[in-house]
Amino acid sequence: DIQMTQSPSSLSASVGDRVTIACRASQSIYRYLNWYQQKPGKAPKLLIYVASSLQSGVPSRFSGSGSGTDFTLTISSLQPEDFATYYCQQSYIIPQTFGQGTRLEIK
Amino acid sequence: QVQLQESGPGLVKPSETLSLICSVSGGSISSSSYYWGWIRQPPGKGLEWIGSIYYSGSTSYNPSLKSRVTISVDTSKNQFSLKLNSVTAADTAVYYCARNYGDYLGPGDYWGQGTLVTVSS
């Protein structure tokens, strides 16, 4: 299986901050990388697919980049509703696998 | 607006079979553009893909669970289902169903709310 490693595992930030979350794959996954946001007690919500495509309805402050093994999710200006856990997911090869999550907390 | 809803027992005894149904509304499960999957999340932990199905009945499973998993589809009811046999406490999790765009590995653009299944005697 492809291992997905996110960093950091947790992050404290303030409203208005620019935040970057990293995701590294154990082998090249080209651009087959998706990002999800999950709030407590809720299902994950798709933010970004194929590394940099913004899912319909997702605010433009979210952006994704990367290819091969290294990817990033950037939130340009944190809003109160953005405090959540973020997961990356590789969709290159079965089984699709997820990172361990990055918990974004209010400073 | 597509909606997915999981249903099934919240408590299953060890060694028995976990059975869940995902009901799809607001769209046809027979659409050629989508696949339908199950993902689980143990309490306080990360996400694990279980498997996916196409409306034709073609399936793909996580090798780690393949020997115990069956996913099936009922297009007449616009539903798909999950069966996981010989469960243990390690199978305790929130189980989500989701729509995958494009293929078995497609991004999950719509998800159910999730249902907690506890394995305990």
Side-chain angles (χ1 to χ4, degrees):
Chain A
D1 297 3
I2 295 177
Q3 303 301 314
M4 306 300 293
T5 304
Q6 292 180 229
S7 60
S9 295
S10 63
L11 174 61
S12 294
S14 301
V15 172
D17 284 354
R18 179 183 180 89
V19 167
T20 298
I21 298 169
C23 177
R24 174 166 287 179
S26 59
Q27 66 181 75
S28 176
I29 57 171
Y30 300 89
R31 291 178 59 81
Y32 294 99
L33 190 285
N34 309 310
W35 288 98
Y36 296 87
Q37 176 194 67
Q38 187 178 34
K39 295 182 179 179
K42 301 294 186 182
K45 173 187 174 183
L46 179 65
L47 300 175
I48 302 284
Y49 60 98
V50 289
S52 61
S53 294
L54 192 67
Q55 173 67 358
S56 176
V58 174
S60 59
R61 62 181 180 272
F62 291 92
S63 63
S65 64
S67 65
T69 60
D70 293 302
F71 301 86
T72 57
L73 173 70
T74 299
I75 310 172
S76 60
S77 178
L78 272 175
Q79 298 303 300
E81 61 267 29
D82 299 337
F83 292 94
T85 299
Y86 293 83
Y87 292 94
C88 61
Q89 175 209 31
Q90 67 83 13
S91 54
Y92 174 61
I93 196 168
I94 290 171
Q96 52 180 277
T97 47
F98 295 84
Q100 82 279 15
T102 294
R103 185 175 178 181
L104 179 53
E105 300 174 320
I106 300 174
K107 183 181 286 184
Chain B
Q1 177 82 345
V2 173
Q3 291 186 313
L4 293 83
Q5 177 70 56
E6 306 89 350
S7 60
L11 181 64
V12 180
K13 289 182 168 55
S15 80
E16 296 190 344
T17 296
L18 179 160
S19 296
L20 295 174
I21 290 173
C22 182
S23 299
V24 180
S25 60
S28 173
I29 203 168
S30 299
S31 169
S32 60
S33 299
Y34 302 106
Y35 289 64
W36 307 89
W38 291 96
I39 303 94
R40 69 180 183 178
Q41 185 172 36
K45 296 189 177 181
L47 298 157
E48 181 181 32
W49 176 71
I50 299 170
S52 297
I53 191 165
Y54 192 51
Y55 78 92
S56 64
S58 179
T59 55
S60 180
Y61 298 131
N62 191 322
S64 68
L65 297 169
K66 188 173 184 177
S67 64
R68 299 194 291 130
V69 172
T70 302
I71 297 175
S72 58
V73 64
D74 186 336
T75 55
S76 67
K77 294 182 178 179
N78 227 34
Q79 296 175 339
F80 62 107
S81 64
L82 168 70
K83 291 188 185 297
L84 180 66
N85 59 36
S86 304
V87 298
T88 69
D91 295 309
T92 294
V94 175
Y95 285 76
Y96 295 101
C97 58
R99 187 180 84 167
N100 301 116
Y101 180 75
D103 60 27
Y104 296 115
L105 293 165
D109 59 355
Y110 285 94
W111 295 58
Q113 65 187 21
T115 187
L116 175 63
V117 179
T118 301
V119 178
S120 175
S121 56

